[in-house]
Amino acid sequence: MKKHLVFSLIFLLCLSVSVLAYNYSNRGGGLLNNPVGIELLGSGNVYIVDSGNSRIQKFSDSGKFIMQWGEEGTGEGCFNKPSHIAADKDKNLYVTDSNNHRIQKFRHDGTFMLQWGRSGKKDGDFRFPQGIAVDKEGEVVIADTENNRIEKFTSEGKLITLWGIKGKGIGQLSIPRGVAVDKFRNIYVCDSGNARIVKFNSEGQYQEAWGGSGGDKNLFLSPVDIVIDSQRYAFVVDVGKSCIVKLDSRGRKMSTWGSYGINAGEFSGPTGVAIGTDERYVYITDSGNHRIEKFNTKGRFVLQWGSYGKVF
């Protein structure tokens, strides 16, 4: 009897350890806590920066959870309020690890590759970097948000150039957030504090601005992320208006969709945007509602996934 009791206790202990190990490894996979950045790779792989949980999650384009990596910390592969994510042509992923003031680079399976950056104002330093994009030559463009500038690096983290100072004049920036690049390597910056999009060439020379005091003052309230498709249509997330704004290549508004709320097609603090490789669908991180929403490029709601979950 005692022998059976001992074996039973051992079995239950092993079972409990297995369950705990599984729960830790799964860590609430699929739950979201203020998602911010979003990127698509290949045939429908969606990578989400689950900022409040300091991790990256991978889903199918229908919202099925696939995998995750990262936890809160300062070590390699750890994060502290990560913000945005971008992929290069080799399917490597770059993440702005905002509160650690650095960039981390991973393989698409989550394997850590390298990191660069530190907190500061010197060339190559960062203060809460947010937006990130990679051009067709593999150069990495980063919005150094609190330093009010743009920095460009090689894929190995070597500084190439930087530009921008705080202000509202031509080429100046105020709290730059999302960035995007087009097929000609032009760079588009969500100049959030100035309520405009600023376009630069690949060398950082000013080209034009959409919205703000020098343009249509009502175009944006607080643009925070942007993506450019192959036809150079721009999709902009305006968190201030809780909407998505679609523009042509000259910055003229074509359509808008969304409003504040919790229902399908509505937003509460939208923060990130990505477009599918076939350019049929647009994906939005609806941060305040802790979910992802998928639309066609005309703004028709398709589906959503995600719910709130805090992982410890």
Side-chain angles (χ1 to χ4, degrees), residues 11 21 60 87 102 125 128 138 168 187 191 199 222 239 241 248 255 259 278 293 297 304 312:
F11 173 76
S60 72
R102 65 183 179 183
D125 291 347
F128 302 100
K168 58 183 180 180
I187 296 162
D191 186 14
K199 180 182 176 181
S222 184
V239 69
K241 293 184 178 180
D248 67 15
S255 63
S259 60
D278 59 4
E293 295 197 79
T297 55
Q304 65 181 30
F312 297 95

Side-chain angles (χ1 to χ4, degrees), residues 30-48:
L31 299 176
L32 297 169
N33 182 7
N34 296 121
V36 179
I38 183 169
E39 179 66 294
L40 272 77
L41 270 182
S43 56
N45 293 315
V46 185
Y47 292 82
I48 307 296

Side-chain angles (χ1 to χ4, degrees), residues 178-180 188-190 197 210 224-228 234-237 273:
V179 296
Y188 302 77
V189 180
C190 291
I197 303 297
W210 305 337
V224 294
D225 201 18
I226 182 171
V227 67
I228 309 291
F235 298 85
V236 179
V237 178
V273 57

Side-chain angles (χ1 to χ4, degrees), residues 34-38 48-51 56 79-85 95-99 128-132 145 177 271-272 285:
N34 296 121
V36 179
I38 183 169
I48 307 296
V49 180
D50 185 12
S51 185
I56 308 300
F79 303 105
N80 186 356
K81 295 295 186 292
S83 183
H84 285 77
I85 187 169
V95 179
T96 49
D97 187 9
S98 295
N99 285 19
F128 302 100
Q130 292 194 26
I132 189 166
T145 301
R177 297 182 67 176
T271 52
T285 50

Side-chain angles (χ1 to χ4, degrees), residues 150-172:
I150 304 300
E151 298 194 84
K152 180 187 277 194
F153 296 83
T154 69
S155 60
E156 301 303 311
K158 180 180 179 181
L159 181 67
I160 298 171
T161 187
L162 56 81
W163 66 90
I165 59 172
K166 184 174 176 60
K168 58 183 180 180
I170 293 176
Q172 296 178 336

Side-chain angles (χ1 to χ4, degrees), residues 60-74:
S60 72
D61 60 2
S62 61
K64 180 181 178 182
F65 172 75
I66 298 173
M67 65 171 292
Q68 64 181 312
W69 72 88
E71 60 184 350
E72 187 171 349
T74 59

